[in-house]
Amino acid sequence: MSERQLREAICQLAKSLYDRGLTHGSTGNISSRTEDGGLLVSPTGTSFGRLDPARLSRFDAKGRLIDGDPPTKEMPLHTAFYDTRSTAGAVVHLHSCHSVALSLLPDSDVDSFLPPLTPYAIMQLGRVKLLPFFVPGDPAMGEAVRGLAGKRAAVMLANHGPVVAGKTVEAACNAIEELEATARLALMMRGLPARVLSAEQVSQVITKFDVEWDK
Ligand SMILES: [Zn+2]
């Protein structure tokens, strides 16, 4: 994919997320690796509904801002994924309602934030780590992701929103949508005697689809 096509893809995917209410106002940020090892990043204070392909922040392979508007304040979160996961080609972060709601519940499982409801969440996200609350822009958020040593593709920032890394910008967006849809299901089924996937069924999915599963 050329850089021009990648710029268009980032903005179209962001707009699609925004148009369906998966993030709102000027929340959310998105980044992707470029072919030369640099990064394209959504600028600070921008809305996913109105990203301009020509104004994305452009970093070179050494991490220097070389073009475009100043990047998102949550840049340390993005670089933490790229630095610890060699497979990360893109990172997306949303303030999506159902994921945030699930993170507010006191009985949420810190190590497996999403209950095992469907195979697709397992296939696309692996185990999702629930991280504690951080003040927005706190570099400690990035440090918390680095502390996972690249073993998780998806984290949930409590009282804030999910962050997901994927091989491509499209894969990262699909996976974060899966996270939000599963959080919504978990809330719908809360208090009902849901038949969640058994440990054996989870393990069958992991084996069949060769899922990276941090035990
Ligand atoms: Zn945020």
Side-chain angles (χ1 to χ4, degrees), residues 74 93 95 160:
E74 282 160 347
H93 165 55
H95 291 191
H160 182 167

Side-chain angles (χ1 to χ4, degrees), residues 1 3 6 32-41 58-64 66 75 79 82-83 86 88-89:
M1 191 184 282
E3 188 180 317
L6 181 59
S32 177
R33 278 255 181 253
T34 51
E35 278 180 354
D36 65 359
L39 285 178
L40 285 169
V41 184
R58 173 78 158 97
F59 288 83
D60 68 11
K62 290 188 173 156
R64 293 175 299 208
I66 52 168
M75 198 66 202
T79 51
Y82 292 115
D83 291 350
S86 57

Side-chain angles (χ1 to χ4, degrees), residues 53-150:
R55 295 180 65 173
L56 296 177
S57 318
R58 173 78 158 97
F59 288 83
D60 68 11
K62 290 188 173 156
R64 293 175 299 208
L65 180 65
I66 52 168
D67 193 11
D69 290 344
T72 168
K73 285 189 293 297
E74 282 160 347
M75 198 66 202
L77 210 47
H78 291 247
T79 51
F81 275 105
Y82 292 115
D83 291 350
T84 56
R85 288 180 65 81
S86 57
T87 55
V91 175
V92 60
H93 165 55
L94 302 176
H95 291 191
S96 44
C97 183
H98 299 88
S99 322
V100 176
L102 192 62
S103 83
L104 309 183
L105 298 173
D107 55 353
S108 287
D109 184 336
V110 170
D111 229 30
S112 282
F113 174 62
L114 297 176
L117 302 182
T118 71
Y120 292 92
I122 294 164
M123 287 150 59
Q124 293 198 21
L125 298 153
R127 278 177 108 190
V128 180
K129 182 83 176 180
L130 175 61
L131 294 177
F133 172 73
F134 298 97
V135 173
D138 183 346
M141 267 195 280
E143 291 311 313
V145 171
R146 285 173 197 275
L148 301 172

